[in-house]
Amino acid sequence: MRKIQVLGIVVFLIGLIAFSLIPFIGYYQLEESTVRANVKDIHEEQLVSVLSPMYGQRYSSNFRFIADFNDHFNSYNDALKENQEWDNVIWDDYGFVLTKAASMGPVTEHPYLFLLLSIALAVAGGLLYILPMHRKEPNGIKHDGIYFSSMKSRGLIGIITGTYLILFYIVLYWFPEYLTNLVLMVDPLSMALSGNPASQWFLYGFIYTLAIVVMGIRMFRKYKGNAYQTIRTASVMFFQLAFAFLIPEILVLFNMPWHDFKNIWPLDYSFFFEYRIDGMVSSGALGMFMLVWGILLIVVGVPLFTYFYGKRWYCSWVCGCGGLAETLGDPYRQLSDKSLKAWKVERYLVHGVLVFAVVMTVMTIANYFTGFGLLGNATNQVHSIYGFMIGSMFAGVIGTGFYPLMGNRVWCRFGCPLAAYLGIVQRFKSRFRITTNGGQCISCGNCSTYCEMGIDVRWYAQRGQNIVRASCVGCGVCSAVCPRGVLKLENGEETGRVNEFPIIIGNNTVTLKN
């Protein structure tokens, strides 16, 4: 079995290397017809003239093509800005669209072949490594040696992995034109699902979904015999594959707005943006259902489900961010900081983002109903700041790229506004808690080691004190790794939920009488 796993690592690395090199394959050639076919009508004549020096030239790499395009495009815009001709400035970014349209070579001609040699090969290698895992081990998890792994304890391999993820996210969000070949190789899949060519977001969604599915299989192997973990993992795999990837693309195929029915404001911070509202309102009955469904989830679904089940119903069973953290990020869960200082930073940051999202949304709704006459362009500026700082930098680059450096729930702990909303309800008005039996605790530390949310679970377990924390996502891994059955996820009556008197003899608190 060890040989199969070594083979899996080799195959995975071959696929990863191929994936990393594909963007540099082929050549690029721009023609006037290409420009006319891929830009907006209002910019067509401008760009046809501006880019005319590039026509017919053959560029041997995307770096040369993009550099020449940026030189012509930016020079034109800069001249207009200097002359205060703001109405003629082209604010749209055509770099990705025209780079993709100008791409030529083997990837364009044989997309499926390169998809097979990169992503498919990486998936096959991952499965070869995962499937033999824990074959002879008994049910239950130990953390023996977990801090000695170079991948799992901020070692060299972990740092390299984190750096790769961070660079990929930066290029994906802000320089997608350098990934055009990768997007081209998934074009046929996008055409089959939505009838439209692929964008960098389709590529990202495809990789994201595959990561959850493949690493979800790892979770099945690692936590075999634990029904809660098996069903929970299957749930996040299903919601990501169906609700976040397939259904939104199929909606586009039927000329409906792209919509993820499981995404909830304020995590879906653009839900009340003008283009989203107009798109739903103009899409008939289904569009109105999207709007009403989204509002009902915010004002009814979140409080109701969180009251009965805590924030685990969403964060650990439905959410795509949580799904990636629980599957792809599981090897790094022990890296979460359990210190009091980290907890204080977490509270300020996550609730600060929630306040930012609420203020932005109030501004957006007010401006929508006043024809954007209330605050003028300020709302758009706030949208841009939030989208860059929170939606891209925090949720993407830091939230995922920092898995091997700070644990798998960096975004969920410090940045997710929906987690903050759910956490407030869970802390003050919910039936959910994790009960502990202090008399059985042997202080092994498995629970705290595996808590991805930075909670020192052992501190509560040693005292027999119920765990009631706004940050707890109810993943249940602390209970799964406990060798003595000390921890139990419960949804009992609210009475006695907050245990003010920690003891070490059982689940029930002590009542002091005069």
Side-chain angles (χ1 to χ4, degrees), residues 17 34 65 114 258 289 330 356:
I17 292 171
T34 307
F65 178 87
F114 286 89
W258 191 101
F289 173 77
D330 180 72
F356 190 176

PDB file of all heavy atoms in Angstrom, residues 17 34 65 114 258 289 330 356:
ATOM      1  N   ILE A  17       2.573  19.978 -11.865  1.00  0.00           N
ATOM      2  CA  ILE A  17       3.594  20.646 -12.684  1.00  0.00           C
ATOM      3  C   ILE A  17       3.036  20.981 -14.060  1.00  0.00           C
ATOM      4  O   ILE A  17       3.245  22.086 -14.586  1.00  0.00           O
ATOM      5  CB  ILE A  17       4.855  19.759 -12.794  1.00  0.00           C
ATOM      6  CG1 ILE A  17       5.550  19.658 -11.428  1.00  0.00           C
ATOM      7  CG2 ILE A  17       5.823  20.324 -13.832  1.00  0.00           C
ATOM      8  CD1 ILE A  17       6.669  18.633 -11.377  1.00  0.00           C
ATOM      9  N   THR A  34     -10.838  39.926 -34.295  1.00  0.00           N
ATOM     10  CA  THR A  34     -10.876  39.416 -32.928  1.00  0.00           C
ATOM     11  C   THR A  34     -11.313  40.503 -31.955  1.00  0.00           C
ATOM     12  O   THR A  34     -12.115  40.262 -31.046  1.00  0.00           O
ATOM     13  CB  THR A  34      -9.489  38.894 -32.512  1.00  0.00           C
ATOM     14  OG1 THR A  34      -9.026  37.959 -33.479  1.00  0.00           O
ATOM     15  CG2 THR A  34      -9.546  38.228 -31.155  1.00  0.00           C
ATOM     16  N   PHE A  65       2.705  39.249 -25.094  1.00  0.00           N
ATOM     17  CA  PHE A  65       1.427  39.737 -25.622  1.00  0.00           C
ATOM     18  C   PHE A  65       0.774  40.699 -24.636  1.00  0.00           C
ATOM     19  O   PHE A  65       0.333  41.796 -25.004  1.00  0.00           O
ATOM     20  CB  PHE A  65       0.494  38.563 -25.914  1.00  0.00           C
ATOM     21  CG  PHE A  65      -0.855  38.976 -26.409  1.00  0.00           C
ATOM     22  CD1 PHE A  65      -1.070  39.198 -27.762  1.00  0.00           C
ATOM     23  CD2 PHE A  65      -1.918  39.175 -25.524  1.00  0.00           C
ATOM     24  CE1 PHE A  65      -2.323  39.611 -28.225  1.00  0.00           C
ATOM     25  CE2 PHE A  65      -3.156  39.580 -25.977  1.00  0.00           C
ATOM     26  CZ  PHE A  65      -3.366  39.791 -27.332  1.00  0.00           C
ATOM     27  N   PHE A 114      -5.083  18.369 -22.515  1.00  0.00           N
ATOM     28  CA  PHE A 114      -4.361  19.075 -21.460  1.00  0.00           C
ATOM     29  C   PHE A 114      -5.110  19.037 -20.133  1.00  0.00           C
ATOM     30  O   PHE A 114      -4.485  19.061 -19.065  1.00  0.00           O
ATOM     31  CB  PHE A 114      -4.088  20.519 -21.908  1.00  0.00           C
ATOM     32  CG  PHE A 114      -3.000  20.613 -22.941  1.00  0.00           C
ATOM     33  CD1 PHE A 114      -3.291  20.527 -24.293  1.00  0.00           C
ATOM     34  CD2 PHE A 114      -1.670  20.753 -22.551  1.00  0.00           C
ATOM     35  CE1 PHE A 114      -2.288  20.595 -25.248  1.00  0.00           C
ATOM     36  CE2 PHE A 114      -0.667  20.819 -23.491  1.00  0.00           C
ATOM     37  CZ  PHE A 114      -0.966  20.733 -24.847  1.00  0.00           C
ATOM     38  N   TRP A 258     -27.092  33.724 -12.807  1.00  0.00           N
ATOM     39  CA  TRP A 258     -26.275  32.778 -12.033  1.00  0.00           C
ATOM     40  C   TRP A 258     -26.614  32.973 -10.564  1.00  0.00           C
ATOM     41  O   TRP A 258     -26.565  34.084 -10.039  1.00  0.00           O
ATOM     42  CB  TRP A 258     -24.804  33.074 -12.287  1.00  0.00           C
ATOM     43  CG  TRP A 258     -23.848  32.038 -11.766  1.00  0.00           C
ATOM     44  CD1 TRP A 258     -23.236  31.068 -12.491  1.00  0.00           C
ATOM     45  CD2 TRP A 258     -23.364  31.892 -10.417  1.00  0.00           C
ATOM     46  NE1 TRP A 258     -22.418  30.313 -11.681  1.00  0.00           N
ATOM     47  CE2 TRP A 258     -22.475  30.786 -10.405  1.00  0.00           C
ATOM     48  CE3 TRP A 258     -23.594  32.564  -9.234  1.00  0.00           C
ATOM     49  CZ2 TRP A 258     -21.811  30.368  -9.251  1.00  0.00           C
ATOM     50  CZ3 TRP A 258     -22.959  32.147  -8.073  1.00  0.00           C
ATOM     51  CH2 TRP A 258     -22.080  31.060  -8.084  1.00  0.00           C
ATOM     52  N   PHE A 289     -38.410  34.329  -7.091  1.00  0.00           N
ATOM     53  CA  PHE A 289     -38.195  33.297  -6.065  1.00  0.00           C
ATOM     54  C   PHE A 289     -36.788  33.412  -5.490  1.00  0.00           C
ATOM     55  O   PHE A 289     -36.600  33.273  -4.274  1.00  0.00           O
ATOM     56  CB  PHE A 289     -38.408  31.906  -6.657  1.00  0.00           C
ATOM     57  CG  PHE A 289     -38.051  30.798  -5.707  1.00  0.00           C
ATOM     58  CD1 PHE A 289     -38.899  30.451  -4.673  1.00  0.00           C
ATOM     59  CD2 PHE A 289     -36.853  30.102  -5.845  1.00  0.00           C
ATOM     60  CE1 PHE A 289     -38.570  29.438  -3.778  1.00  0.00           C
ATOM     61  CE2 PHE A 289     -36.510  29.088  -4.962  1.00  0.00           C
ATOM     62  CZ  PHE A 289     -37.378  28.758  -3.928  1.00  0.00           C
ATOM     63  N   ASP A 330      -8.425  20.122   6.083  1.00  0.00           N
ATOM     64  CA  ASP A 330      -8.374  19.257   7.272  1.00  0.00           C
ATOM     65  C   ASP A 330      -6.951  18.930   7.743  1.00  0.00           C
ATOM     66  O   ASP A 330      -6.708  18.892   8.954  1.00  0.00           O
ATOM     67  CB  ASP A 330      -9.137  17.962   7.002  1.00  0.00           C
ATOM     68  CG  ASP A 330      -9.116  17.028   8.201  1.00  0.00           C
ATOM     69  OD1 ASP A 330      -9.795  17.326   9.193  1.00  0.00           O
ATOM     70  OD2 ASP A 330      -8.406  16.000   8.144  1.00  0.00           O
ATOM     71  N   PHE A 356     -19.107  46.320   8.725  1.00  0.00           N
ATOM     72  CA  PHE A 356     -18.776  46.879   7.405  1.00  0.00           C
ATOM     73  C   PHE A 356     -19.806  46.416   6.375  1.00  0.00           C
ATOM     74  O   PHE A 356     -20.340  47.217   5.593  1.00  0.00           O
ATOM     75  CB  PHE A 356     -17.372  46.424   7.017  1.00  0.00           C
ATOM     76  CG  PHE A 356     -16.796  47.097   5.796  1.00  0.00           C
ATOM     77  CD1 PHE A 356     -15.487  46.820   5.404  1.00  0.00           C
ATOM     78  CD2 PHE A 356     -17.532  47.982   5.022  1.00  0.00           C
ATOM     79  CE1 PHE A 356     -14.936  47.409   4.273  1.00  0.00           C
ATOM     80  CE2 PHE A 356     -16.991  48.592   3.897  1.00  0.00           C
ATOM     81  CZ  PHE A 356     -15.690  48.296   3.524  1.00  0.00           C
TER      82      PHE A 356
END
